Amino acid sequence: MGFIALFGSYFLIRVLYATVPERLRRRPERYWTGVTPFTVRKLEARAESGAMALAAECVLLAASMCMTLAGLAFSVGMRAGSLEQSAQALLPVAYSCVFYGAAFLVAAAAVLALQQLAQASEAGRSYRTLAVLGAPEGMRRASVRVQVGASFALPTAIACTHCIFGFILIGVLSVMFGAEGFLPLAGGTLAFTLCILAVYCLLCIRACQTEV
């Protein structure tokens, strides 16, 4: 399943980065505005060189959310359930799932941030050229926001799609084991993950904008 998710994410990323810019180019009134051509070309270059890395981060984020939810469901959720002996037996596994889920989340967010910082550093000369050509600083900063935001948003969206199947399986198992509070735990896991990624994204945007 992991390989299917990995290569499925890879092909989806390549397709999106191939079709969306083409559709945008069909609308000249929007495409030829500000530094949009520069931004689009930078995003296409990132997809060409790092699509597999983004796909791996999708799988890592999905695994993080599923493992965290499973750990919470079979620890916190089982405490409110009726199968206390089963809960005690599952606690070591549940806590391990939470730990590795958090580790995967931090690793995926850190790798995404490092990729953006490295690419922004390499693109510093391009931004300086834009400044010489007369592009205002606001446009250059907006280009950075779009590029970094897209690089965080796309893997996150695909990871959440993968999690639908994992969450359904965990929900079925939690019902079988008598765990309670699955929906609040699932919502909390998703919200916590999105908050962590949003913080990393905002910090990364701020750091990358120093290059423009």
Side-chain angles (χ1 to χ4, degrees), residues 16-59:
L16 287 175
Y17 275 104
T19 57
V20 173
E22 285 301 320
R23 291 187 178 182
L24 186 59
R25 291 187 180 100
R26 294 173 186 171
R27 304 182 65 179
E29 71 279 3
R30 295 189 60 182
Y31 183 74
W32 298 107
T33 302
V35 293
T36 301
F38 172 82
T39 304
V40 171
R41 187 65 195 100
K42 283 292 183 182
L43 287 171
E44 288 177 323
R46 292 186 182 199
E48 291 171 2
S49 62
M52 184 56 74
L54 288 175
E57 285 150 12
C58 295
V59 176

Side-chain angles (χ1 to χ4, degrees), residues 136-149:
E137 183 179 355
M139 284 187 180
R140 303 197 305 272
R141 288 179 173 269
S143 176
V144 171
R145 287 195 297 271
V146 171
Q147 292 178 55
V148 175

Side-chain angles (χ1 to χ4, degrees), residues 83-211:
L83 302 178
E84 296 183 1
Q85 293 182 350
S86 298
Q88 293 297 324
L90 289 172
L91 278 180
V93 177
Y95 289 148
S96 296
C97 286
V98 173
F99 172 79
Y100 284 110
F104 288 169
L105 172 59
V106 172
V111 169
L112 275 171
L114 288 173
Q115 284 180 335
Q116 305 315 307
L117 292 172
Q119 291 169 347
S121 179
E122 294 174 357
R125 184 175 180 181
S126 300
Y127 287 112
R128 287 191 291 272
T129 303
L130 282 178
V132 172
L133 293 174
E137 183 179 355
M139 284 187 180
R140 303 197 305 272
R141 288 179 173 269
S143 176
V144 171
R145 287 195 297 271
V146 171
Q147 292 178 55
V148 175
S151 298
F152 271 85
L154 183 58
T156 302
I158 296 175
C160 290
T161 304
H162 291 321
C163 282
I164 293 174
F165 305 99
F167 280 19
I168 291 174
L169 177 60
I170 295 168
V172 172
L173 292 175
S174 66
V175 171
M176 293 174 59
F177 280 91
E180 298 180 358
F182 171 77
L183 290 179
L185 291 174
T189 300
L190 183 60
F192 177 76
T193 300
L194 294 178
C195 286
I196 293 296
L197 291 172
V199 170
Y200 269 88
C201 182
L202 292 175
L203 292 175
C204 189
I205 289 174
R206 186 170 183 178
C208 291
Q209 285 179 338
T210 60
E211 300 291 335

